[in-house]
Amino acid sequence: MSSAQDPFYIVKEEIQDSIDKLQSTFHQWENSASDPGEQVHLKKELLAGCESIEWQVDELDKAIGVASRDPSWYGIDDIELEKRRRWTSTARTQVSSMKKAVLSGGANGVGTMSASGMRRELMRLPNSHQAKSNQYAAAQDNDDFIQSESDRQLLLVKQQDEELDELSASVQRIGGVGLTIHDELVAQEKIIDELGMEMDSTSNRLDFVQKKVAMVMKKASAKGQIMMILFLIALFIVLFVLVFLT
């Protein structure tokens, strides 16, 4: 990742280009004293340009203010914040100086400001080439930090991938447990069905025996009935033991 991808430097470069163009227009306005019509046109263009650049610098200042609340989250430090504030202050001074010069010239009559006065006003403005050199130097100073931030982001992505892998493994384990529980329930359901079938068979056998006993009891004497009852009780106990205790 290079400094050209930093949003601040992208906006800064655009504003600096606008300031360079504004300075070029300012020099045209300075040299147009012999053509009042052209000077008025350039004056309007300069004032509009100043207003636009001032608004852009204000917005950039707001962004810097937001970043200053948590610099580490945006991957910058206090030194970088101070550099950015100095640049916006310098840019605002450049635009303000040209705006004052234009308004002073307009208030005192076209061309009344002396060329030396203009130059003194512009002495406060950094040279365009120098501004770009400073920008390049700041970008170079920030390269190491940006690279470090890029590495940190890559590390975070790697950690997130590892966490997702662990989560996927956990989901697979839970799925395996769910399948095991399902198989166990199916097996238990089968056992219950078999037990129900055995109970039905035993019930049918008991009904048959009860009918036979009833028939025998009708034919047997009282003593025989008692013996039969005792025999049936013993038989019931044996069947009960065979069915429920084995």
Side-chain angles (χ1 to χ4, degrees):
M1 181 178 178
S2 66
S3 60
Q5 294 173 307
D6 190 315
F8 171 82
Y9 285 106
I10 293 174
V11 176
K12 173 184 174 183
E13 197 170 315
E14 292 177 356
I15 295 175
Q16 186 61 55
D17 289 341
S18 298
I19 292 174
D20 292 342
K21 293 177 182 177
L22 196 67
Q23 287 180 334
S24 177
T25 304
F26 181 85
H27 291 309
Q28 292 179 20
W29 174 81
E30 178 186 13
N31 298 322
S32 64
S34 59
D35 188 349
E38 178 68 12
Q39 195 170 45
V40 171
H41 173 73
L42 291 173
K43 177 181 177 181
K44 292 180 180 179
E45 184 177 340
L46 283 168
L47 292 176
C50 289
E51 292 291 338
S52 175
I53 293 173
E54 285 176 342
W55 177 82
Q56 294 178 58
V57 173
D58 288 341
E59 292 299 312
L60 197 58
D61 257 339
K62 292 178 183 178
I64 294 172
V66 172
S68 66
R69 297 173 188 170
D70 189 3
S72 59
W73 193 90
Y74 293 94
I76 56 179
D77 54 17
D78 293 337
I79 296 175
E80 176 63 20
L81 282 172
E82 184 59 29
K83 288 180 180 178
R84 297 184 180 192
R85 289 193 184 100
R86 282 202 306 267
W87 186 87
T88 55
S89 177
T90 301
R92 187 177 284 105
T93 300
Q94 289 179 320
V95 176
S96 177
S97 297
M98 283 188 284
K99 187 176 181 180
K100 288 178 181 178
V102 172
L103 291 174
S104 297
N108 297 322
V110 176
T112 56
M113 179 177 283
S114 66
S116 60
M118 292 274 194
R119 292 190 184 93
R120 283 196 302 270
E121 188 70 21
L122 289 175
M123 284 288 289
R124 298 161 58 190
L125 306 179
N127 181 270
S128 171
H129 176 73
Q130 183 64 33
K132 289 186 176 180
S133 298
N134 292 339
Q135 177 182 345
Y136 178 76
Q140 289 295 321
D141 292 339
N142 208 30
D143 275 345
D144 291 339
F145 180 80
I146 292 173
Q147 185 61 45
S148 174
E149 179 65 16
S150 177
D151 293 340
R152 188 175 72 86
Q153 293 295 334
L154 290 175
L155 180 60
L156 289 174
V157 171
K158 184 178 179 181
Q159 290 175 347
Q160 289 175 354
D161 289 340
E162 292 175 353
E163 291 174 357
L164 287 175
D165 290 339
E166 292 177 0
L167 180 61
S168 176
S170 298
V171 171
Q172 289 178 355
R173 287 196 295 271
I174 293 172
V177 173
L179 290 175
T180 302
I181 294 173
H182 176 266
D183 294 340
E184 184 67 21
L185 289 174
V186 171
Q188 291 181 1
E189 184 179 1
K190 184 177 180 181
I191 293 172
I192 291 172
D193 290 340
E194 292 176 354
L195 180 61
M197 293 175 63
E198 291 180 0
M199 291 291 294
D200 292 339
S201 176
T202 302
S203 177
N204 292 333
R205 290 175 186 173
L206 285 174
D207 289 342
F208 177 77
V209 171
Q210 286 176 353
K211 290 178 182 179
K212 290 293 184 181
V213 169
M215 292 175 62
V216 172
M217 288 181 66
K218 288 180 181 180
K219 297 178 181 180
S221 62
K223 185 177 179 179
Q225 289 179 358
I226 292 173
M227 293 299 294
M228 184 60 66
I229 290 172
L230 293 174
F231 172 75
L232 291 175
I233 291 173
L235 180 63
F236 177 78
I237 293 172
V238 171
L239 291 174
F240 181 84
V241 170
L242 291 174
V243 172
F244 294 100
L245 299 181
T246 58

